[in-house]
Amino acid sequence: MNKTTFAHGQLKSIVERIERLEEEKKTIAGDIKEVYAEAKANGFDIKILRKVISLRKKDAAEREEEESMLDVYLAALGMIPGDSEEAA
C-alpha cells in the first residue's frame, strides 16, 4: 500500500509540474508572438527573421552542409542559373 501511495504522489507531482510548464510555455509563446509583431511593425520581414533565428541555432559546419545540399538539390532541378545548362 505504501508503494502505491508513493507512486500516486509521484505521478501527481509530475503531472502538476508538466501542467505548470505548459502554462509557462503558453506565456512565453505569447511573448514571442508580441516580439514578432513589434518587428513587423518596424518593417522587418517576419519570414526572413524566423529563418535568421533558425540559422543562428546551428553551428557554422551544419549551416555550410545544409547550404551545400540545398545547392545540389537546386542544381539538379535546374533552379540555379548556369548549372542547369551545364547538366543538360
Side-chain angles (χ1 to χ4, degrees):
M1 187 72 172
N2 189 20
K3 191 173 186 179
T4 305
T5 304
F6 173 76
H8 174 70
Q10 187 178 26
L11 177 60
K12 183 178 178 185
S13 173
I14 289 170
V15 169
E16 288 172 350
R17 285 173 40 210
I18 291 170
E19 289 172 340
R20 232 182 355 266
L21 290 169
E22 288 290 342
E23 194 59 40
E24 288 177 28
K25 186 168 78 171
K26 279 199 294 190
T27 301
I28 291 170
D31 292 345
I32 292 170
K33 187 176 179 180
E34 288 177 16
V35 174
Y36 277 114
E38 178 184 340
K40 185 175 182 177
N42 287 311
F44 293 101
D45 184 309
I46 301 306
K47 184 176 177 181
I48 300 303
L49 188 57
R50 288 183 190 276
K51 183 66 176 175
V52 167
I53 291 168
S54 171
L55 289 171
R56 284 175 51 103
K57 291 178 185 178
K58 300 173 184 177
D59 64 23
E62 188 178 1
R63 282 194 313 267
E64 289 173 12
E65 180 181 348
E66 189 176 291
E67 289 172 9
S68 176
M69 290 301 298
L70 179 61
D71 288 344
V72 169
Y73 284 29
L74 292 175
L77 295 170
M79 297 176 69
I80 296 178
D83 286 350
S84 61
E85 295 170 8
E86 294 173 13

